[in-house]
Amino acid sequence: MGLLTLDVFNVRNIKKASIAPASKFNFIYGLNGSGKSALLEAIFLMGRAKSFRTADLSKIINFNANQFIVSGKVQSEKNTTTLGIQYHSGQFVARMDQQTVKSKASIAYCFPLQIIHPKSYRTLDAGPQIRREFMDWGVFNLDPAFLTSWRRFKKALTQRNAALKNKVLNEVRVWEPELAYYGTIVQECRCDYIEQLKPYFLLVSEQLLGITEIDIKIIAGWDAAFTYEQALHKSTEKDLRYGYTRLGPHRGDFSVLVQKRQAKDHVSRGQLKMLVLALSMAQVLMLKENNQQMGCFMIDDLTAELDQHSKEKVFCCLDDMSIQVFLTATDQESFKNDLPQGDHKMFHVEQGVITEA
Ligand SMILES: Nc1ncnc2c1ncn2[C@@H]1O[C@H](COP(=O)(O)OP(=O)(O)OP(=O)(O)O)[C@@H](O)[C@H]1O
Ligand SMILES: [Mg+2]
């Protein structure tokens, strides 16, 4: 599976570009500010219907335009699908084979992609939101039933929070069984997911970092000695005082332990970067082994801060993954020594203009 063609109009400084990516490695190079991340942003928009850089899509529209469009052909095992994303006057329109699609999830299922960008390297040492997103993307792609439970949990959470804000105790109680029921499912899905991910993470960490004693610890978002329903009951009084639900999967998290110590406090910056790469690669490997389609894997600014040895290992792992890959770097030399045997292309980006090199 992968992207066969891509057409970009007015995404950041890319006014108009068309490329036909290689099925395996796509190396994108260009100076700072040339438009490399903008190109990955365009691809990301096709697979996630959102940006990895901003929540405000109007910021993506080229300064001299009033809309952006990204479209492309996605090849899966069975067929080819045309995806199109347009953003104009605050309106977001997504099309699959010329049909308008309402749910962003449909696009995400059609072209599942994962990206590592400079902020991703904070996955293990920033706040928990980024780690929850990491887990939920994995569960979402592995277990189609997860999305319904997650949506119902979010709805019940919003309702209970509104009742807490208005201090209506009866209503707070009304939403608790549903919140507890779906919240427990969300947590169980995440736990199962992390358990399944562990062996893959172990394998990739060993390949990338030579670390063998590694573990992932999941954090529920409430005291695990109690069920979620019990925890909610116990915290009602405090929740009323605070005006929101303090406990639950929306507070869930995970941490990575290296030799029984918190990785974020004990490994170097370069190693932390490699651990984040290992987590994401493990995620993709696991999806593929579970016969799930995987659209593409993108790494923005791969070479920054990685030594030659680490870089070679990353290339080696990516090569084994048999998946379409997009990598960016500021200079062509970063890739030249590591060019793989398989299908690959180089693209040069200069002031928003993309040419195959
Ligand atoms: N809405 C916009 N319209 C036009 N240009 C924009 C817009 N938003 C950002 N830019 C410009 O687009 C250019 C490309 O940005 P981008 O982040 O893609 O560069 P890059 O090649 O990834 O650079 P770096 O190597 O520094 O990461 C930048 O010069 C930026 O100022
Ligand atoms: Mg960039």
Side-chain angles (χ1 to χ4, degrees):
M1 190 185 198
L3 202 54
L4 289 178
T5 62
L6 175 74
D7 298 296
V8 185
F9 298 96
N10 296 322
V11 170
R12 305 275 185 190
N13 67 337
I14 306 174
K15 291 196 181 110
K16 189 173 182 298
S18 295
I19 60 166
S23 62
K24 190 72 216 277
F25 277 103
N26 294 280
F27 300 101
I28 299 147
Y29 69 97
L31 298 177
N32 292 132
S34 56
K36 304 178 298 295
S37 299
L39 178 61
L40 298 195
E41 201 172 19
I43 298 172
F44 192 83
L45 277 160
M46 284 237 312
R48 298 273 190 103
K50 63 178 187 182
S51 164
F52 60 88
R53 294 206 281 189
T54 174
D56 178 2
L57 294 184
S58 68
K59 289 197 176 126
I60 296 170
I61 303 174
N62 181 270
F63 297 141
N64 301 316
N66 57 12
Q67 65 168 350
F68 73 71
I69 301 173
V70 184
S71 64
K73 282 196 170 68
V74 174
Q75 171 86 64
S76 69
E77 258 168 38
K78 292 184 194 122
N79 49 17
T80 306
T81 310
T82 306
L83 285 182
I85 304 288
Q86 181 180 21
Y87 186 79
H88 177 60
S89 313
Q91 292 272 64
F92 183 89
V93 183
R95 291 192 186 86
M96 270 169 76
D97 287 335
Q98 271 73 52
Q99 305 282 332
T100 306
V101 278
K102 294 238 161 63
S103 146
K104 289 183 178 177
S106 317
I107 299 170
Y109 282 128
C110 176
F111 185 43
L113 50 79
Q114 187 56 294
I115 187 164
I116 305 266
H117 52 90
K119 270 193 204 158
S120 314
Y121 297 120
R122 301 289 320 274
T123 299
L124 293 175
D125 63 345
Q129 178 66 26
I130 190 166
R131 289 184 291 280
R132 283 194 289 271
E133 280 173 14
F134 170 87
M135 284 191 279
D136 291 347
W137 181 83
V139 188
F140 167 85
N141 279 290
L142 203 67
D143 178 1
F146 174 71
L147 187 61
T148 312
S149 300
W150 191 84
R151 281 186 176 145
R152 296 211 170 141
F153 163 74
K154 286 289 268 191
K155 190 178 159 216
L157 181 66
T158 308
Q159 301 286 2
R160 186 178 187 264
N161 281 346
L164 284 167
K165 215 170 166 195
N166 297 327
K167 310 228 178 285
V168 192
L169 184 60
N170 283 351
E171 224 169 279
V172 172
R173 294 274 189 236
V174 162
W175 285 102
E176 276 174 10
E178 193 158 335
L179 185 65
Y181 180 74
Y182 289 108
T184 305
I185 295 179
V186 168
Q187 167 61 8
E188 282 171 358
C189 286
R190 284 178 181 167
C191 274
D192 286 352
Y193 179 74
I194 292 294
E195 276 310 309
Q196 283 187 66
L197 184 70
K198 269 184 199 177
Y200 295 94
F201 181 47
L202 211 88
L203 188 86
V204 185
S205 303
E206 193 173 355
Q207 267 175 294
L208 288 188
L209 293 113
I211 293 176
T212 47
E213 205 184 330
I214 199 157
D215 199 8
I216 313 180
K217 205 170 142 245
I218 188 138
I219 298 150
W222 70 89
D223 183 346
F226 300 96
T227 65
Y228 185 29
E229 188 152 20
Q230 289 168 338
L232 279 171
H233 272 289
K234 273 166 62 87
S235 74
T236 309
E237 211 176 288
K238 252 191 181 170
D239 284 0
L240 274 166
R241 237 180 299 138
Y242 283 85
Y244 64 89
T245 307
R246 295 168 314 116
L247 307 175
H250 56 299
R251 291 296 183 89
D253 197 355
F254 73 86
S255 61
V256 169
L257 306 176
V258 174
Q259 284 154 357
K260 300 194 171 61
R261 293 191 187 98
Q262 287 283 349
K264 68 181 168 76
D265 301 324
H266 290 96
V267 304
S268 76
R269 252 158 59 111
Q271 284 175 317
L272 214 50
K273 195 168 175 174
M274 292 290 269
L275 278 176
V276 172
L277 282 163
L279 271 173
S280 277
M281 287 186 192
Q283 227 181 12
V284 171
L285 263 180
M286 179 170 144
L287 271 179
K288 281 192 68 85
E289 292 225 346
N290 281 276
N291 295 322
Q292 302 292 326
Q293 304 242 19
M294 185 65 206
C296 70
F297 188 64
M298 307 191 278
I299 308 181
D300 197 8
D301 219 357
L302 168 70
T303 50
E305 278 184 73
L306 288 190
D307 58 40
Q308 181 61 25
H309 190 53
S310 301
K311 213 177 68 183
E312 277 166 20
K313 285 182 177 171
V314 174
F315 274 103
C316 212
C317 272
L318 288 172
D319 213 0
D320 288 346
M321 277 181 10
S322 66
I323 183 178
Q324 190 177 39
V325 178
F326 292 84
L327 302 168
T328 75
T330 46
D331 62 301
Q332 199 175 10
E333 300 309 309
S334 302
F335 303 129
K336 269 221 155 136
N337 299 331
D338 309 288
L339 284 181
Q341 299 290 315
D343 184 26
H344 67 267
K345 283 187 181 178
M346 282 253 185
F347 296 96
H348 178 225
V349 189
E350 191 176 6
Q351 294 181 10
V353 177
I354 304 165
T355 42
E356 200 177 319

